[in-house]
């Protein structure tokens, strides 16, 4: 069961900007009480609130098709798909409630309101930090390379085949290192941009 202060925080956040300005079910919760949120709001509506908050946090997603949470109608999505989608996003945000993938999916499918409300509290509590992490995540994601492209299992190969495989592996490793270097440059550039924003310097710069 969620603590009363957490329920009050959730209600206060959902009924205040920026969340109160969102379309959809959140816009209908203007007079909801913490008790009603915990006891009376239908499970599918509660999950829809979580999805809409995720879409708000992930609104800067530049991947093809945009955020996976935007425009999702839970009445047309299987519970297992809902749980998997939410779990992947929450693990990216380092949410402890979703660390164990199987347990999280089971909790969502079983309609564990305590779990769902704890997730909603997590999302709302530090949503500005989550927005930044969600924006950065696609650019800093690790590239998974299939083992067959990185292992030198050449026992059954001829000399020239071995040379070709070894050369291909070196090219892949070189590309992987290049990507990691670019990601580090991106992190440093973003950190510098944040420092400019926080200092107020950008407000005095006119773009030509």
């Amino acid at each position: 069961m969620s603590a009363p202060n957490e329920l009050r925080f959730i209600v206060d956040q959902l009924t205040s900007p920026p969340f109160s300005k969102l379309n959809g079910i959140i816009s209908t919760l203007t007079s909801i009480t913490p008790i009603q949120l915990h006891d009376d709001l239908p499970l599918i509506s509660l999950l829809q609130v979580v999805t809409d908050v995720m879409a708000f946090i992930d609104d800067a997603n530049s991947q093809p098709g945009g955020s996976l949470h935007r425009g999702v109608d839970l009445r047309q999505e299987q519970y297992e798909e809902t749980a998997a989608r939410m779990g992947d996003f929450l693990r990216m945000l380092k949410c402890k409630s979703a660390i164990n993938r199987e347990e999280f999916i089971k909790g969502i499918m079983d309609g564990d309101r305590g779990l769902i409300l704890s997730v909603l509290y997590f999302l709302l509590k530090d949503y500005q930090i989550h927005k930044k992490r969600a924006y950065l995540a696609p650019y800093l994601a690790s590239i998974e390379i299939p083992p067959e492209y990185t292992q030198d299992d050449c026992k059954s190969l001829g000399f020239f085949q071995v040379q070709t495989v070894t050369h291909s592996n070196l090219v892949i490793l070189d590309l992987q290192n290049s990507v990691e270097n670019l990601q580090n440059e991106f992190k440093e550039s973003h950190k510098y941009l944040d420092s400019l924003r926080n200092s107020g310097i950008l407000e005095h710069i006119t773009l030509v």
Side-chain angles (χ1 to χ4, degrees), residues 9-115:
F9 176 83
I10 292 172
V11 168
D12 288 345
Q13 288 292 98
L14 292 177
T15 55
S16 303
F19 298 101
S20 62
K21 296 182 178 181
L22 298 179
N23 295 323
I25 191 169
I26 293 179
S27 64
T28 69
L29 304 179
T30 53
S31 60
I32 195 169
T33 67
I35 295 298
Q36 289 172 328
L37 176 71
H38 186 278
D39 295 343
D40 301 333
L41 190 66
L43 182 63
I44 192 169
S45 299
L46 186 58
L47 288 170
Q48 187 69 58
V49 170
V50 174
T51 285
D52 292 350
V53 170
M54 286 181 171
F56 172 80
I57 290 172
D58 199 33
D59 68 346
N61 192 315
S62 60
Q63 299 301 301
S67 172
L68 293 175
H69 317 289
R70 186 178 304 135
V72 172
D73 185 342
L74 293 190
R75 294 170 299 181
Q76 301 176 6
E77 184 178 52
Q78 297 295 320
Y79 261 30
E80 189 169 359
E81 294 176 2
T82 299
R85 170 176 56 78
M86 289 181 172
D88 289 344
F89 188 68
L90 290 166
R91 281 187 291 278
M92 182 268 292
L93 296 180
K94 311 299 183 186
C95 178
K96 293 181 180 179
S97 299
I99 290 177
N100 188 308
R101 186 177 189 276
E102 288 71 26
E103 287 185 4
F104 179 80
I105 289 178
K106 183 178 185 304
I108 296 298
M109 294 186 67
D110 288 347
D112 186 338
R113 295 183 75 91
L115 171 63

Side-chain angles (χ1 to χ4, degrees), residues 126-183:
D126 296 306
Y127 74 89
Q128 291 287 12
I129 295 175
H130 298 328
K131 283 178 74 72
K132 182 181 295 186
R133 178 166 283 170
Y135 166 73
L136 293 175
Y139 302 103
L140 303 179
S142 299
I143 299 176
E144 296 184 4
I145 301 176
E148 60 266 27
Y149 293 103
T150 58
Q151 296 176 353
D152 286 327
D153 186 8
C154 305
K155 295 179 181 179
S156 61
L157 300 179
F159 174 78
F160 291 108
Q161 290 174 309
V162 169
Q163 296 301 308
T164 300
V165 170
T166 302
H167 175 71
S168 298
N169 288 352
L170 289 174
V171 169
I172 291 172
L173 289 174
D174 186 55
L175 288 172
Q176 188 176 27
N177 289 332
S178 296
V179 169
E180 290 175 356
N181 289 335
L182 288 171
Q183 287 176 329

